[in-house]
Amino acid sequence: MKFLTLLLFFIITPQIATAESEWSFGADMNMTEFYYPEQYGEDTNDSLFKLELDPMVRWKKGDRWRVYSKPVLVANPDNKSTEEQFYFDPSETYIKFQKDVLDIYVGYNVVTWGITDGYNPIDIVNRRQLYDPLRSKKMGTPSILISESLKWIDYDLIYIPSAREAILPGENSRWLPREVFVPQVPGNDLVLLLPPNLRYTWGNEAILDDALENNFAIRLQKTISIFDFAITGYDGAASAPIIEPQVTGTIVEVSPKTVIQVDPDVRLDTKQYRIRQGGFSLVSRQWDFLFKYATTYSDNYGDYVNLPGWIHESILGVEKTFNFSDAMLIAVVQYSFLDTERKNDSNISITEIFRRAWMAGGRLSWKEVWNASLLGLYDTVHSSTFVEVTLGRRFFDSWNASLTANFISGDIENPLGLYSKNDAYILSVGRSF
């Protein structure tokens, strides 16, 4: 599907381009070095170097036609997971037709729905590349996107004939369990103790209920006075598949949970499944504060034993901007709470981090060249924390440099604590052309 869409894009574009058309080109380049102080697994990386290049091509003809392409290319040659050494994604690569208040996009689209920061359950149209779950990348979705602003409402419609799958961490990734694996099982009664010489392989994949075929999404937006409302609907593949480890080993405990000392070879099978979701969001600016509320209700198709069942997720947030003589601070506080049909003790469930969680952070920019940010997350159910601190500076208008530190704490049998040995220091240098 990716090949056919790109082929059509490059065949059609020259046909509609003429001498009257206008072209523009650009690129973003970024070099990033990751350093992990603690070892986590025998054959994983303690450091990584990534080079990312995002070339951009923009073309327009008159007032109606636009072509835009900004693919993502990442080289990570020293990664011990071979599948992560090179990454390419079309990202945003589309042909656009516009007339008055109507826009039609055909190709690979990237959309951002929802109004909350960090955790955004409404934003599920695009799959993600999950090599590093803390820095996941949205992937372009092959789709037809129609947007129109009417007098009484704004709407977006998306049709995805064949959805893409999320790209999961490589077999030697630090972001797969390396010591304890608590999988998602109906009774929440299984714990896998992993050996030091662990060898993962991605195994069988199943697609339930035609999860990837004929996905749909809709968003309606309306502003009334100081309130911005949005209603969303989605029917299609879940953001990530169910992961089911296939193991052999020795049972070392049977109560209250079955504990297995696992043999080195572990196969990870996946199951793509289909969900339907309805969402609602509200934003209101009052008393110099920005108030946010978002809620979703999701349910899966089918009756496979490991499906999660219905999930009701909600987020409340407040944002405040402080202006100083030569600086600006944006501060945010959010609280997430969710309820589920079935209990889930899995330590690879990202959703479970936000069952009852506080998030707070701020971004300070000053003198138009410096910026600093602080983000904190506290999972009140599992008493786990995540903190990220970043300091950055712009040089010569087109260069940017930043230094980031991540700190994670928690019990290794819990979703956030699973990554407690993945504290990291990250140096990044980038340029726009």
Side-chain angles (χ1 to χ4, degrees):
M1 186 65 189
K2 180 188 294 187
F3 174 79
L4 290 176
T5 303
L6 287 174
L7 182 63
L8 286 172
F9 174 81
F10 288 114
I11 289 176
I12 293 173
T13 300
Q15 302 301 317
I16 57 177
T18 70
E20 301 174 356
S21 62
E22 298 179 22
W23 293 87
S24 59
F25 304 89
D28 293 326
M29 182 188 70
N30 200 68
M31 297 175 290
T32 308
E33 180 77 26
F34 293 78
Y35 172 65
Y36 301 95
E38 287 193 73
Q39 184 179 359
Y40 187 40
E42 282 194 350
D43 200 23
T44 59
N45 287 86
D46 294 330
S47 63
L48 287 170
F49 174 76
K50 294 184 180 181
L51 175 62
E52 178 173 339
L53 180 65
D54 305 336
M56 185 276 293
V57 178
R58 181 185 287 115
W59 169 87
K60 70 175 183 177
K61 180 178 183 294
D63 296 327
R64 298 292 173 83
W65 292 97
R66 300 287 186 271
V67 171
Y68 182 81
S69 180
K70 193 174 184 180
V72 175
L73 301 93
V74 180
N76 189 192
D78 58 347
N79 198 308
K80 294 182 180 181
S81 293
T82 55
E83 56 269 65
E84 295 189 26
Q85 291 177 356
F86 180 78
Y87 171 74
F88 168 77
D89 186 72
S91 190
E92 292 186 277
T93 300
Y94 55 77
I95 297 171
K96 175 184 177 182
F97 174 79
Q98 59 185 40
K99 182 180 180 182
D100 299 326
V101 294
L102 174 67
D103 296 325
I104 301 175
Y105 305 77
V106 179
Y108 282 84
N109 293 295
V110 175
V111 299
T112 300
W113 290 1
I115 44 87
T116 52
D117 300 292
Y119 178 54
N120 186 356
I122 293 176
D123 193 25
I124 61 171
V125 172
N126 293 88
R127 298 290 83 77
R128 291 180 178 269
Q129 178 250 75
L130 297 168
Y131 291 158
D132 180 344
L134 298 182
R135 291 169 180 81
S136 63
K137 289 181 175 292
K138 276 189 180 181
M139 304 190 300
T141 294
S143 56
I144 300 171
L145 167 62
I146 301 173
S147 296
E148 189 171 13
S149 296
L150 303 174
K151 289 183 178 180
W152 58 283
I153 204 164
D154 299 337
Y155 74 86
D156 302 287
L157 292 172
I158 301 176
Y159 171 61
I160 306 168
S162 182
R164 303 175 67 187
E165 302 173 14
I167 299 179
L168 301 173
E171 294 171 354
N172 293 320
S173 173
R174 300 179 63 96
W175 300 98
L176 291 175
R178 294 284 159 186
E179 296 178 353
V180 177
F181 194 160
V182 183
Q184 179 179 336
V185 294
N188 289 293
D189 57 357
L190 181 62
V191 176
L192 306 178
L193 304 180
L194 304 174
N197 57 340
L198 177 66
R199 295 185 293 270
Y200 278 121
T201 56
W202 288 104
N204 300 326
E205 179 188 55
I207 300 175
L208 308 178
D209 301 294
D210 298 319
L212 303 178
E213 304 304 316
N214 298 314
N215 290 195
F216 300 88
I218 183 172
R219 178 175 66 170
L220 305 176
Q221 297 184 96
K222 178 69 175 177
T223 299
I224 302 175
S225 184
I226 59 173
F227 300 100
D228 296 327
F229 300 91
I231 297 174
T232 61
Y234 174 77
D235 189 307
S239 298
I242 299 169
I243 299 175
E244 300 176 327
Q246 307 300 316
V247 304
T248 59
T250 303
I251 296 176
V252 296
E253 190 174 324
V254 294
S255 180
K257 294 186 177 184
T258 300
V259 180
I260 301 176
Q261 181 63 59
V262 173
D263 294 332
D265 293 302
V266 176
R267 191 185 80 211
L268 301 175
D269 293 346
T270 61
K271 286 185 169 58
Q272 306 285 342
Y273 65 100
R274 193 179 188 101
I275 66 169
R276 47 187 170 242
Q277 183 197 84
F280 171 79
S281 65
L282 168 66
V283 179
S284 178
R285 183 177 293 278
Q286 300 185 59
W287 310 297
D288 292 327
F289 286 88
L290 194 65
F291 297 94
K292 303 178 181 180
Y293 172 69
T295 186
T296 64
Y297 182 88
S298 307
D299 200 0
N300 52 252
Y301 287 83
D303 55 4
Y304 180 67
V305 65
N306 274 343
L307 290 172
W310 59 259
I311 304 176
H312 183 200
E313 303 167 86
S314 299
I315 304 172
L316 286 167
V318 59
E319 180 179 311
K320 171 71 173 175
T321 300
F322 301 89
N323 292 297
F324 306 98
S325 59
D326 57 356
M328 180 177 69
L329 171 65
I330 300 175
V332 179
V333 177
Q334 288 185 175
Y335 180 68
S336 65
F337 49 102
L338 63 92
D339 294 300
T340 57
E341 179 179 354
R342 299 169 186 168
K343 185 181 179 183
N344 183 2
D345 288 341
S346 173
N347 66 346
I348 62 169
S349 172
I350 299 297
T351 301
E352 284 299 314
I353 296 173
F354 300 95
R355 181 172 286 275
R356 297 289 186 274
W358 285 97
M359 293 159 280
R363 179 179 175 84
L364 176 67
S365 56
W366 71 98
K367 294 187 177 179
E368 299 184 352
V369 294
W370 287 96
N371 66 82
S373 63
L374 173 65
L375 169 67
L377 166 66
Y378 178 60
D379 172 3
T380 65
V381 175
H382 305 105
S383 299
S384 302
T385 61
F386 168 74
V387 176
E388 179 177 272
V389 183
T390 299
L391 177 66
R393 194 186 193 285
R394 191 176 76 251
F395 298 91
F396 313 116
D397 292 330
S398 59
W399 286 88
N400 290 280
S402 67
L403 179 64
T404 299
N406 288 341
F407 306 100
I408 307 171
S409 66
D411 190 288
I412 200 166
E413 293 189 21
N414 297 325
L416 191 55
L418 172 67
Y419 307 122
S420 59
K421 291 188 176 181
N422 281 351
D423 290 354
Y425 300 95
I426 305 151
L427 176 64
S428 181
V429 177
R431 185 184 178 185
S432 297
F433 299 89

